[in-house]
Amino acid sequence: MSDVSTSTDDPEMGAEVAQEPPSGSGQVVWVTLLRIVGALGVPIVGFFLLWATFDYLKNEDANRGLVVVVAIIVGAGGVFLLFWAMDRVVDLLPERYGEGVRPYVFVGPALVILAVFLVYPVINTLLISFKDANSDSFVGLENYKFVFTDSDMLTAIRNTAGWIIVVPIFGVGIGLAFATLADRLRRGEAVAKSMIFLPMAISFAGASVVWNFIYSFRPEGFGSNIGLLNGIMIGLGQNPVSWLDQQPWNNLMLMVIMVWMQTGFAMVVLSASIKAIPEEIIEAARIDGASELQVFRRIIIPTILPTIAVVTTYMVINAMKVFDIVFVMGNAELRGTVVIAERMITWFFIRDHDGRAAAIAVVLFAAIVPVMVWNIRRFREQELTR
Amino acid sequence: VSVSERFETPVMEPIEPAAPGGTLEPRGGGWFVRITILVIVLIWLVPTVGVLISSFRPEALVDTTGWWTALAHPFSAASWTIENYRLSLDTGGFGNAFLNSLAVAIPSTVIPITIAAFAAYAFSWMEFRGRYVLFVLVVGLLVVPLQMALIPILRLYTQGAVLFGLQIFPDLDLGGTFLGVWLAHTGFGLPLAIYLLRNYIGSLPSSIIESAKIDGADHFTIFWRLIVPLSVPALAAFAIFQFLWVWNDLLVAYVFLGGTRELRVLTIALQDLVGARGENWHLLTAAAFISMSLPLAVFFSLQKYFVRGLTAGSVKG
């Protein structure tokens, strides 16, 4: 009894409790029993406490300001307390089980959430992709046949291929150039970098407003043109152009938006990586007569190659999943700017064909697998050299 | 207690960058560098500046002349107004949406970080069966398109899960609740969080953890007193990342919280303004800047952590 109460009092006592020597056999049974009761009781009480809080938060009539405060407290403290309580519980378990169980207490919540929110949906989508519009009966490979024959789908596949080539090349390219050059500024580097990073803080909804002021087009008689590009065209004495209707260049114009939004990420990460290169190495090369271009190609690039790989992967995956920009700028089918993820949303939410939407999602997931395999291999190499 | 005090000082030094980097002697470049930087910065700023200027112009002018024409006579009082901000704050119900966004974004940032930090510690410094396979699985989940997960989860929230006539997941009635959105954001944010934090936590020197163990510290103490303080840069970096993402998210909030006036978040309120008012440019511009204000403040105040923490793991070699 005594060691149960002390161990729950003080977080620093854990190690000592675990090292307690075993005593007489009758006592051991009691202690073990108490430990098991405690092991079951603490999480159950904790669970119901959390449940009551969540029930309150679900209450739609509750005061909004109060909900925000409770939400922040539960979010900030609740999860940590849950981990702490579970760790205490493991301390109550017999030692030979305790140390085997503890790692699962640490990773467990993550694995449970991932299983529910990512693994389960993947399996679910796979099943739905073989069923009809309302998931009533199996239709075999019908939906996959649609994915690879429908003309809009074929356009979407072609366009997405364009996105995953163009966006990473320009995003990483400009980001790398900017990071390298900004590194040489004697002052204003932080400000310059902030300006490039700024679009990251803008939502897609906000970005659509921003870019409408660039691409906006109004034909004769429908008001004056207030988009910047057409302002320039008129200034040059040309006729205004309906930029987003120019196939296939309109795809490129949407890609520009993503490059604008994501270059900041690449630049910030690459810049920090460049700064981590020891100054002596670069100085030594200069003293040996290397030109700035040689320093860049022979020293900077090889040293930060792993980071370039990480950034490129991240941008390729993001370009594959692009949906918001195309969706928000509108009229994708008419303009031929459809992409895979956008097709999926359209078929699910607008056309209500679950089977086709799921099949599109599965194809998208399958397309990402090579990137994933390459990354896992890279991770394994990194693990070996650690 | 003594464990952390003893190890904090020697360890913090190599992790803090030694030199700010701005004091290096000038190397080549000069004008070429400065002009190139200036050109890129200007190109990047033009779209945002256009909206910023438009947001302070009267409705009639926004709709009839390009925003750049305002620059021609910047001191004429007739070409500037704050009416757009007043109107969109009044009519759009933005105050409530701002509160809702906070209630969504703060827990959706803190919960995944806490869970991911524990998991990252276990993946880095604890021995257990399946450690490697589970981590690879987590990294693999980075690539699951968010859109693919929305519908099954929404069904889970509103109907539970039934497999072969057996209720394997209870109907939690989480549709349209904050908890539902937090959990969804946690699920979608976890793979990247675990990946980044494991990179960082795994690259901390093993000697400090070993000596803490010898001093009798258990895993929880090591994690809380040693690992968390040392990982502040990485934790802050991911916090900004996740906060920006959640704050700017439209899809997850729309699917799980809905677009009702009572519960909608800022991005949805902004979208409603677009939908309901069509070509009302003057309100949109002000609304866009209201929704940008907090992320920009967060970014500018915390960006130094962002730069340092994010790369700490990846630039190790």
Side-chain angles (χ1 to χ4, degrees):
Chain A
M1 185 64 204
S2 64
D3 76 58
V4 173
S5 59
T6 50
S7 64
T8 44
D9 281 339
D10 187 352
E12 269 78 56
M13 294 294 287
E16 285 154 50
V17 174
Q19 286 160 6
E20 199 176 277
S23 40
S25 63
Q27 219 178 334
V28 169
V29 174
W30 273 110
V31 170
T32 311
L33 230 105
L34 274 172
R35 277 175 166 164
I36 290 168
V37 170
L40 293 172
V42 173
I44 289 172
V45 171
F47 180 79
F48 278 107
L49 268 177
L50 276 174
W51 195 255
T53 326
F54 290 148
D55 230 34
Y56 170 69
L57 290 171
K58 273 204 282 194
N59 183 358
E60 287 179 19
D61 304 325
N63 180 291
R64 192 78 0 193
L66 206 60
V67 166
V68 173
V69 172
V70 172
I72 289 167
I73 292 170
V74 172
V79 178
F80 178 79
L81 279 179
L82 203 65
F83 274 104
W84 181 80
M86 286 196 301
D87 191 69
R88 291 300 96 191
V89 168
V90 172
D91 285 342
L92 300 178
L93 289 173
E95 200 187 337
R96 64 202 152 110
Y97 301 123
E99 288 319 298
V101 168
R102 201 184 304 274
Y104 297 102
V105 167
F106 276 52
V107 286
L111 296 181
V112 169
I113 289 184
L114 287 173
V116 172
F117 284 88
L118 293 173
V119 176
Y120 165 74
V122 168
I123 295 166
N124 191 291
T125 309
L126 203 63
L127 273 176
I128 293 176
S129 75
F130 294 105
K131 293 184 177 179
D132 66 2
N134 300 318
S135 309
D136 289 333
S137 54
F138 282 95
V139 293
L141 291 172
E142 199 65 30
N143 295 320
Y144 289 92
K145 214 178 98 190
F146 162 80
V147 169
F148 292 107
T149 52
D150 179 66
S151 74
D152 274 334
M153 269 314 298
L154 294 179
T155 315
I157 291 171
R158 187 201 70 194
N159 286 345
T160 302
W163 279 83
I164 63 178
I165 293 168
V166 172
V167 172
I169 286 180
F170 282 94
V172 177
I174 298 174
L176 181 60
F178 194 88
T180 315
L181 293 177
D183 192 40
R184 289 144 188 273
L185 286 180
R186 253 186 299 175
R187 64 173 76 168
E189 185 187 343
V191 176
K193 278 157 66 176
S194 303
M195 296 298 122
I196 303 296
F197 193 84
L198 189 126
M200 287 273 302
I202 296 172
S203 66
F204 283 104
S208 77
V209 177
V210 170
W211 283 86
N212 262 322
F213 276 91
I214 304 289
Y215 291 142
S216 166
F217 165 76
R218 288 172 184 175
E220 288 253 11
F222 286 86
S224 53
N225 273 292
I226 57 171
L228 179 64
L229 283 184
N230 279 331
I232 293 173
M233 292 300 278
I234 292 167
L236 293 174
Q238 308 283 321
N239 284 326
V241 177
S242 175
W243 297 100
L244 292 178
D245 290 319
Q246 307 297 312
Q247 296 189 34
W249 304 109
N250 49 7
N251 281 301
L252 218 56
M253 286 167 200
L254 297 183
M255 292 174 201
V256 166
I257 302 179
M258 188 163 191
V259 171
W260 178 72
M261 291 183 85
Q262 300 236 312
T263 297
F265 170 81
M267 182 272 301
V268 164
V269 176
L270 290 169
S271 166
S273 173
I274 288 171
K275 291 205 181 304
I277 301 172
E279 191 60 25
E280 310 90 69
I281 298 179
I282 294 175
E283 281 312 314
R286 287 212 181 93
I287 290 166
D288 288 348
S291 72
E292 288 305 307
L293 200 63
Q294 280 173 322
V295 169
F296 179 70
R297 277 181 47 200
R298 301 279 169 80
I299 295 173
I300 295 182
I301 292 284
T303 318
I304 64 169
L305 211 55
T307 312
I308 295 178
V310 169
V311 172
T312 310
T313 307
Y314 180 81
M315 294 191 83
V316 166
I317 289 177
N318 268 1
M320 267 178 173
K321 297 200 277 188
V322 71
F323 137 80
D324 317 55
I325 295 173
V326 177
F327 203 74
V328 160
M329 296 307 274
N331 282 337
E333 263 173 38
L334 225 60
R335 289 170 167 164
T337 53
V338 287
V339 289
I340 297 179
E342 177 271 339
R343 289 286 82 196
M344 198 206 105
I345 297 288
T346 303
W347 278 105
F348 200 96
F349 287 97
I350 298 170
R351 311 242 162 98
D352 277 332
H353 198 306
D354 297 14
R356 286 181 179 175
I360 297 170
V362 171
V363 169
L364 184 62
F365 188 61
I368 297 176
V369 165
V371 182
M372 183 178 106
V373 169
W374 179 70
N375 258 276
I376 288 171
R377 202 173 281 169
R378 209 178 50 77
F379 162 72
R380 194 174 283 175
E381 282 163 18
Q382 201 182 6
E383 186 83 323
L384 287 177
T385 56
R386 185 172 127 195
Chain B
V1 186
S2 64
V3 171
S4 63
E5 277 165 9
R6 197 177 318 163
F7 289 104
E8 224 159 65
T9 346
V11 169
M12 282 311 269
E13 274 165 6
I15 284 169
E16 297 282 347
T23 54
L24 299 171
E25 57 189 282
R27 354 157 170 145
W31 282 109
F32 169 74
V33 171
R34 268 177 253 175
I35 289 171
T36 316
I37 295 267
L38 195 69
V39 168
I40 300 180
V41 165
L42 283 181
I43 293 174
W44 243 250
L45 274 183
V46 162
T48 321
V49 168
V51 178
L52 184 63
I53 291 176
S54 300
S55 71
F56 287 106
R57 301 181 73 211
E59 177 181 0
L61 285 178
V62 171
D63 206 42
T64 52
T65 55
W67 55 266
W68 55 93
T69 54
L71 297 174
H73 22 77
F75 298 113
S76 98
S79 56
W80 304 106
T81 176
I82 55 164
E83 192 69 358
N84 299 335
Y85 284 89
R86 205 184 60 76
L87 268 178
S88 57
L89 279 176
D90 281 358
T91 61
F94 270 61
N96 193 27
F98 201 89
L99 270 184
N100 285 338
S101 272
L102 273 184
V104 168
I106 294 178
S108 296
T109 306
V110 176
I111 295 171
I113 289 181
T114 312
I115 294 177
F118 275 99
Y121 174 79
F123 280 128
S124 306
W125 300 110
M126 292 169 106
E127 291 293 333
F128 59 96
R129 197 181 295 178
R131 181 170 84 119
Y132 184 72
V133 174
L134 287 174
F135 183 68
V136 166
L137 192 75
V138 170
V139 177
L141 289 175
L142 263 177
V143 303
V144 176
L146 171 68
Q147 295 88 359
M148 192 162 147
L150 292 179
I151 305 315
I153 293 170
L154 189 62
R155 284 194 185 146
L156 214 58
Y157 277 5
T158 52
Q159 302 160 13
V162 178
L163 196 68
F164 306 117
L166 195 73
Q167 188 90 12
I168 54 164
F169 198 86
D171 171 11
L172 294 178
D173 195 20
L174 283 174
T177 65
F178 282 117
L179 178 63
V181 188
W182 299 343
L183 289 176
H185 274 305
T186 302
F188 302 141
L190 267 183
L192 184 66
I194 295 175
Y195 186 46
L196 286 180
L197 292 180
R198 203 224 71 104
N199 259 356
Y200 189 93
I201 292 174
S203 69
L204 294 172
S206 62
S207 53
I208 46 164
I209 284 134
E210 291 308 321
S211 30
K213 271 187 197 157
I214 291 166
D215 282 5
D218 65 357
H219 278 298
F220 198 86
T221 312
I222 295 174
F223 173 78
W224 183 237
R225 297 291 169 104
L226 209 55
I227 300 295
V228 170
L230 289 179
S231 309
V232 164
L235 296 172
F238 182 76
I240 297 175
F241 225 156
Q242 177 78 0
F243 185 84
L244 286 179
W245 153 245
V246 174
W247 186 266
N248 289 331
D249 156 78
L250 173 78
L251 201 58
V252 177
Y254 195 79
V255 170
F256 293 121
L257 208 52
T260 61
R261 217 176 155 76
E262 188 65 24
L263 284 172
R264 65 183 183 179
V265 294
L266 259 187
T267 44
I268 295 176
L270 182 63
Q271 197 73 352
D272 285 350
L273 216 56
V274 181
R277 298 173 190 275
E279 289 269 300
N280 259 351
W281 297 81
H282 62 294
L283 288 191
L284 290 182
T285 54
F289 263 90
I290 293 167
S291 81
M292 280 176 209
S293 56
L294 193 67
L296 284 181
V298 169
F299 171 67
F300 279 118
S301 55
L302 294 177
Q303 64 156 330
K304 58 176 186 286
Y305 290 112
F306 193 32
V307 175
R308 210 197 301 156
L310 190 71
T311 50
S314 61
V315 296
K316 179 167 50 100

